[in-house]
Amino acid sequence: MYAFSRTVSITGRGCLPWANAAESAAMSADINPQEYAAFRDFLEHVSGIVLGENKQYLVNSRLRSLLGELGIKSVGELLGMMDRSSGVQLRQRVIDAMTTHETLWFRDQYPFEALKRMILPELTKADLPTLRIWSAACASGQEPYSISMICEEFRLEYPRRPLGTVQILATDISPTILQLAREGVYDSIALGRGLTQDRRERFFITENDKAKIKPAMMRQVTFRELNLMQPFKSLGKFHVIFCRNVMIYFSDQLKVDILGRIAEVLEPNGYLFLGGSESITRYCDRFEVSRAHGGMVFRLKS
């Protein structure tokens, strides 16, 4: 998500659909303005997430369970505890609580179709021994595993275009969600979100109401904890980067910084996918826009 791929709720959009204005006001009353301002500063500092005005109800609802579990009476007390040297684990739990890892398989379709029909055919012309793809803010793994499936489908559909070794790096700020992603096991609800029956049968091993990604798909994906606010040049170079539905939660300054650093780790003429509502124009001039199967992909300028 940085931190969370496909998180739809940090701005309050799609979150708490049951909360009417009166309920929201009641929840907001539990956090005073000073506590809310301090918590906003904390969250932006550690994760890059910028909370809007008057989102006290969101903070309250997300943290209620954690505060109750730990017997903490207020957000102010929570902030004080996280300031101590022993508060590292608590800080991570707060970040986990404030980020909803909302994702699905083959989200928006067009990036995956563009990868299979446009980008992979082009890259195979270069006869690359290794193709490197980065899924930033991968959440519970649906995006990198979808990419892995696409690469396998490409091999089957284009046998005369050898793809070589595929390395997919999947990163997220949350070690908790990354552990779930590494296991590659999904319940029936998660499996029903964007995954066709054909792909489920080809790429999963089913047991009762759960299914596990097949080993061949898992071997192409490596998971690693990473905060996008931190340096990532050590990750190496990539031919394709997916950083989707993430930067909408960041400040303009942080968007400029991250996009500039993404450009540095892309191979010449490499591709970047952003979310459908995310723009690059105001923040970085190192990319050109290409239409791609009903959407847009950004290509690093030569």
Side-chain angles (χ1 to χ4, degrees), residues 56-90:
Q56 290 95 326
Y57 72 91
L58 178 61
V59 176
N60 200 353
S61 64
R62 292 297 179 83
L63 297 181
R64 182 184 293 118
S65 176
L66 179 61
L67 296 181
E69 175 191 337
L70 300 177
I72 299 173
K73 297 179 181 179
S74 69
V75 170
E77 182 181 344
L78 175 68
L79 290 169
M81 293 177 67
M82 289 190 293
D83 279 341
R84 303 169 193 164
S85 60
S86 59
V88 175
Q89 185 176 5
L90 179 58

Side-chain angles (χ1 to χ4, degrees), residues 9 13 26 46 56 67 70 131 138 157 176 186 193 206 239 279 295:
S9 55
R13 198 175 32 160
V46 298
Q56 290 95 326
L67 296 181
L70 300 177
L131 170 66
C138 68
E157 294 178 30
T176 305
Y186 300 91
R193 304 194 66 208
T206 302
H239 302 94
S279 171

Side-chain angles (χ1 to χ4, degrees), residues 16 19-29 56-57:
L16 301 180
N20 59 33
E23 290 169 323
S24 296
M27 289 187 288
S28 300
Q56 290 95 326
Y57 72 91

Side-chain angles (χ1 to χ4, degrees), residues 158-272:
Y158 300 92
R160 297 183 180 180
R161 296 181 178 180
L163 189 54
T165 301
V166 174
Q167 295 180 354
I168 303 165
L169 177 65
T171 65
D172 200 275
I173 195 174
S174 170
T176 305
I177 203 72
L178 283 173
Q179 184 55 41
L180 295 175
R182 288 189 185 97
E183 293 170 0
V185 177
Y186 300 91
D187 61 23
S188 57
I189 296 175
L191 292 167
R193 304 194 66 208
L195 191 67
T196 64
Q197 185 62 33
D198 176 62
R199 282 172 169 156
R200 178 170 176 172
E201 292 172 356
R202 279 189 291 146
F203 297 121
F204 290 80
I205 300 169
T206 302
E207 292 184 6
N208 300 321
D209 63 339
K210 294 186 177 182
K212 183 178 178 65
I213 298 279
K214 287 186 175 179
M217 298 299 97
M218 297 184 72
R219 281 194 293 268
Q220 296 186 130
V221 183
T222 300
F223 292 95
R224 176 172 171 178
E225 184 180 344
L226 179 73
N227 185 330
L228 287 180
M229 296 178 68
Q230 300 168 343
F232 47 71
K233 199 169 184 178
S234 63
L235 300 180
K237 292 277 191 175
F238 299 91
H239 302 94
V240 186
I241 294 177
F242 286 69
C243 187
R244 309 184 60 229
N245 306 298
V246 178
M247 286 186 286
I248 51 174
Y249 305 108
F250 295 159
S251 68
D252 287 354
Q253 181 180 357
L254 186 54
K255 290 175 186 175
V256 170
D257 174 51
I258 290 175
L259 286 168
R261 289 188 287 123
I262 283 176
E264 292 297 321
V265 297
L266 267 175
E267 294 282 5
N269 299 309
Y271 290 93
L272 168 65

Side-chain angles (χ1 to χ4, degrees), residues 105-160:
W105 306 95
F106 301 93
R107 182 172 181 177
D108 297 332
Q109 293 295 326
Y110 80 85
F112 304 96
E113 281 301 303
L115 180 64
K116 185 197 293 188
R117 308 297 179 191
M118 183 180 83
I119 297 174
L120 292 182
E122 178 185 309
L123 291 174
T124 54
K125 293 177 183 177
D127 199 24
L128 299 170
T130 302
L131 170 66
R132 300 199 73 226
I133 301 174
W134 177 17
S135 169
C138 68
S140 48
Q142 280 89 330
E143 181 175 90
Y145 287 136
S146 294
I147 294 169
S148 185
M149 294 179 215
I150 286 293
C151 291
E152 184 63 21
E153 290 177 356
F154 179 84
R155 288 191 177 99
L156 295 173
E157 294 178 30
Y158 300 92
R160 297 183 180 180

